[in-house]
Each structure stands twice: as C-alpha cells, then as structure tokens.
Amino acid sequence: MTRRRLAVATAMAGVLALTACGANQAPQGAGQATATRGGTLRILSEGQTVNFDPAKSGSLAITSLGLVHRRLTGWLNKPGEQARVVPDLADAGKTDDGGRTWTFTLQDGLKFSDGTPITSADVKWGVQRSFAPAFSGGLGYHKQLLEGGADYRGPFEGAELAGIETPDAKTIRFRLVRPYGDWPWVVSTPAFAPVPHGKGAEPDYSEHPVASGPYQLAKYQKGVEAKLTRNAHWDQKTDQVRAGYPDEIVFQLGQDASVISQRLSADSGDDKTAFGSSFVSAAQLAQVTGNASAKDRIVTSKSGALAYLALNTEKAPLDNPKVREAFQYAVDKTSFQIASAGNAQLAGDIATTLITEGITGREKFDLFPAPPAGDPEKAKKLLAEAGFPNGLENLDFLVSKTNNAPEKAQALQASLQRAGIKTTIRTLDGDAYTEETSNSPVAKFDLTLASWQPDFPSANANIQPLFASSEIGGGGYNLSRYRDAEVDRLIDEAQATVDPDEAGRKWAAIDKRVLKDSPIVPLIYTRNSFLRGSKVANLYIADFPAYPNYLQVGLSS
C-alpha cells in the first residue's frame, strides 16, 4: 500500500550514536539553555535542495516541512514518552462506523500566509494534488485507502476524488475502501497540508508555497540557501506542536558533512546558532570526542531504525524456513555493530524484534536466543536438519555502495562462513540497487542489508511495508519477498482496529508470527547523533522518531 523512498530507508543503515559520551544518560535536551523567542536559527544540510511541496514530500511531521505547512493532525513527542497524535489544523478525527469513515473539523480563524482563510476545500485540494503524476514521490499511505484513489489522477483536469467530502468550510470527511484505525496518523503526513484551492499546478510550487505554519519561504537558491521568515498570519494559540521560537530559519545547502562537523565543533560566529541535519559519522565522532565542548553538544537518540539482513524467501534454499532459522544463529551481531560505528556501544542495541522502540504495543522478546556473537554450531545443526549437512555455498549477498554497507556485509560474511554459509558480496550504486531490490518483480539476490524506521508512530508502519505481500516489487519495501496469506489477513485485521491499545496487541502478535518464519534477521536498533552550536536550545530527540524535533528548536539569549 505504501511506497517508501528506498534511498531514505537504506540511508538509515549508517546511523550512529555517542552513548559512550553519556549522551543518553539524561533526557535529550538536558544541559541546554532555555529557548527564547527571536534570532536566526541555521540548519546545515548536505542536500542541494529542500522540498516544501507537500505532495512531493516524505518529510516527517516534526522536521523541515512542518515549519511551513501544518497538517490535519500532528505529533506530540517528548523524551521518555510514546509519541501520540494530536490536533493540528483540525481535531484528532472521529469515526462512527468502525474506522471506514473519518470526519475532521477545522479550527476557527485559520489563515494562509497571504491572509486568506484555510478551508476544508483547501485541504481536499492539497490531498488531490498528491495523486497527480507530476506531483508523485511523497508518502502515499492514503492513495489506495481513499475511495476512488486507485484510479484517480489528480484535480487539474477538473476531476474530484470521490472519497473526500467537504460539506462546509470547516468539515472534511474521508471515505475509505476498508476500515483503517491509523487514519488519524495518516492525515499527519505531508499530503494533508492545505494548498489554496486551484493553486499549485506549477512544477516549482516547492519554491513559492503558500504557508500555513509559523514560517514562509522568503528566499530559495538551490545548492545555496532556503530562508524562512515569520508568517504573520500564524496564530500560536491554535498550534500545540510548533513553538515558533526563531524569527528566521536559514537552511545552508550543499554543505560537506565533514565540514559541517568541523564548523559545529569549532563553534564560532554564526555557527553557534546552527545544527547539522545529517547524522554525525563514525570518523566525525572520533574527532568530536577529543573536543570537550563539542562532545557536550552531541544530541543522541535513544534508539532508531531497525537494521536487518533480508533473506530472499522466493529463492531456494532460502525458501526453507529451517534454513532461514539457521541465519538467526549464524549472524554475529556484535561484529555488525563494530563495522557500523567502530564500537558496539556506539552503533545501537542488538535487535530481536521487528517493532522499534517508542511505538505503542511493542513487546520485547527473543525467539532465537543466542550470544551476541552468534552460535555457529546451532546454525550448522539447523542446516543439517534442513538437508544441508555441508552448509550453503554461492549465496549472492547484494548491498548498496553507500553508508558503509560493504564493510558491514564483510563482517556478516565472516560470521556466516563460520556457520558453513559461504557468500559472495555484490555491490551496486543506489539506483541499480533500488531497481533490483525494490522495483523488480523478480529478485536475483539471496541476501541484502537494509534498514527501516516507520513514517509515523504506529507498529502498522513497522510491519506492513516490510512484510505484506502487496509490497513485493513495484517500489515496495518487502525485500525478503515474504508471502503469507495468514499474515496478510492479520495485517488487514490489525489495520482495521481503531482502539490503539487493542491494535498494539495485534501488531505485537504479528511481530512474533512473522519472525517465526525468519524472513529477516534483526541486527541492531541504530542510533542517530546530531551536533549543535552552543546557542541552539531545545534540540531534543524523543523516543520516536530518531530525529530532532525541528518544530521546538530555538536559540538561547
């Protein structure tokens, strides 16, 4: 159903942390000065562009897009607490038919940056834009759920989407093809930001969007800068998820990662009011730890994306569950940690579940208890029971050339060989890797490395994209090519559950059910570290997601 941008997901495999420096000893943001209103916040970015078109965006609700555009709902996330959905432009939504129809009511007095009222028709128009082929690329959880969505091609030729009704200026109603309990989370994704009705047909709308959030785009130069200034029509009293502290926010684009780290470590001039949008790498961490001041300005996530080894369940001998189970014991997860960050403590905790930390319903369990370094003898025994007493040979281990993936693969290759599993590592550039792992209807590889963090705080977004049979090929992220009719049924049942606690219990059961089949080997829950200047305040990372909440960051006086 959803089509996650593979480049983003695989990038998560390289995330790191600094727990050895005590960054996780206190709540994130501890030790920082209090944020005050005013000043210019700078965000240093490796990217050449920053996208402010909600139809094309995969931005999390707490990052860059949320500074300019509000959505129907938002996220309230704090360290030590599970993220929860809260009202933003509208209330948190109501359903009276078990989750198939959802109704939202907009707040009074909402305005765009041009002073015109924000209406339900503007929200509908924004959602409809996301269906137009010219504006594809954003998160698409809604596209197959809304009635008429499967065949809809956008509003620019006069067609309306049947599944969205706007009976008055404040009411918007969504009719779905099936019950879906996480719809209040879905309407926090970028496509549910309002776009003035009739506008946004031009391909460069990202460079001059009409804002609904606390900031508007005042200047944009690709590869150089995106400057945000205050939106005079944003009302703090209507917005519980955005603090709106800085007067201006400037994205400095096209910055080299090592230069960003050096600048923030030096902490001079304007860089005192900046933070880096990219993860601090292992090499950069090694340098930062030698600088006492910079070391204290590292902010690290408690947990993060699930890094895992995917086993192609469509190819023999990996179509045999007993063979796949052997991999659970063969893998040395400690060696993967070291290959990821040079230190087991820096990389992230060893993973045994599919659902990541900070998600409602997550249960801790370990179906395949083994030492962190693996149990090669147990793996050999399982292979023998499966009919392979001499082990396995010539397995194709495909990895991307990015994010240190070849080195991580080599660490796993060595541990697999100790269990009698011989692999050949094959590397591909990003586009070619994506084509074979995600787009192709038939996959040639046997094994591949990947990583995943949900797009919204629900176990649904942990499990459905990776293990529903609908996500095989065609841009989906079911890299293990796992097909199980019962699991598909259980996923549909959990998705249709409106009560979050009940849904959480169902997702936890699916977590165990899928792992019994061993389509993947969970490796670690990767951590992210970010570096800030000394005047940046309230830069924290909650339990989910493993990114700073841009909407709460400010400067100290």
Side-chain angles (χ1 to χ4, degrees), residues 102-405:
W102 289 88
T103 302
F104 296 80
T105 303
L106 271 62
Q107 298 187 62
D108 292 326
L110 300 171
K111 293 182 180 181
F112 284 111
S113 53
D114 62 5
T116 59
I118 297 173
T119 70
S120 57
D122 300 316
V123 177
K124 178 178 179 177
W125 181 261
V127 177
Q128 290 183 148
R129 282 183 76 247
S130 71
F131 284 83
F135 297 96
S136 63
L139 298 183
Y141 289 87
H142 58 290
K143 292 185 178 180
Q144 298 298 317
L145 285 170
L146 285 165
E147 285 188 4
D151 301 314
Y152 186 62
R153 304 281 290 176
F156 298 111
E157 296 179 1
E160 294 195 11
L161 182 57
I164 308 179
E165 301 171 350
T166 52
D168 57 56
K170 289 183 57 179
T171 304
I172 185 164
R173 183 174 299 115
F174 301 97
R175 291 189 285 107
L176 311 182
V177 296
R178 58 187 173 90
Y180 198 82
D182 275 337
W183 190 252
W185 284 119
V186 172
V187 300
S188 74
T189 58
F192 292 84
V195 175
H197 188 273
K199 293 190 177 182
E202 62 278 16
D204 64 346
Y205 181 74
S206 173
E207 299 180 16
H208 52 265
V210 183
S212 54
Y215 300 97
Q216 58 190 349
L217 183 60
K219 179 182 177 183
Y220 181 77
Q221 187 176 358
K222 182 180 179 181
V224 180
E225 179 182 273
K227 182 178 181 179
L228 307 182
T229 57
R230 287 198 181 277
N231 168 13
H233 295 283
W234 173 73
D235 185 354
Q236 172 73 81
K237 295 190 295 292
T238 70
D239 195 334
Q240 64 177 300
V241 298
R242 296 166 186 81
Y245 286 126
D247 288 333
E248 296 182 345
I249 300 175
V250 177
F251 290 81
Q252 295 185 8
L253 306 175
Q255 306 294 307
D256 181 82
S258 62
V259 174
I260 291 175
S261 179
Q262 292 167 9
R263 287 173 55 181
L264 294 175
S265 294
D267 195 40
S268 64
D270 287 344
D271 290 338
K272 292 182 179 181
T273 62
F275 73 91
S277 64
S278 301
F279 316 140
V280 183
S281 71
Q284 293 157 8
L285 281 174
Q287 296 174 353
V288 170
T289 54
N291 180 328
S293 170
K295 176 180 173 181
D296 290 340
R297 291 184 278 106
I298 285 282
V299 179
T300 301
S301 67
K302 177 182 177 182
S303 187
L306 172 68
Y308 62 94
L309 177 68
L311 313 178
N312 187 349
T313 61
E314 291 183 337
K315 281 189 67 179
L318 298 176
D319 57 349
N320 184 330
K322 181 74 74 172
V323 170
R324 298 197 299 268
E325 185 179 350
F327 281 79
Q328 304 284 1
Y329 295 92
V331 165
D332 181 347
K333 297 182 181 181
T334 302
S335 71
F336 183 84
Q337 290 174 311
I338 294 171
S340 297
N343 181 295
Q345 192 176 26
L346 297 178
D349 294 337
I350 286 174
T352 60
T353 68
L354 305 175
I355 300 173
T356 48
E357 291 191 20
I359 301 293
T360 299
R362 180 179 185 266
E363 294 181 9
K364 294 180 66 175
F365 62 87
D366 187 356
L367 298 183
F368 311 103
D375 186 343
E377 295 307 314
K378 173 75 178 243
K380 289 178 182 178
K381 181 174 182 292
L382 289 167
L383 288 175
E385 292 174 1
F388 297 92
N390 298 319
L392 305 175
E393 294 187 358
N394 301 320
L395 295 186
D396 178 29
F397 194 168
L398 176 64
V399 295
S400 168
K401 291 181 180 178
T402 60
N403 299 307
N404 202 34

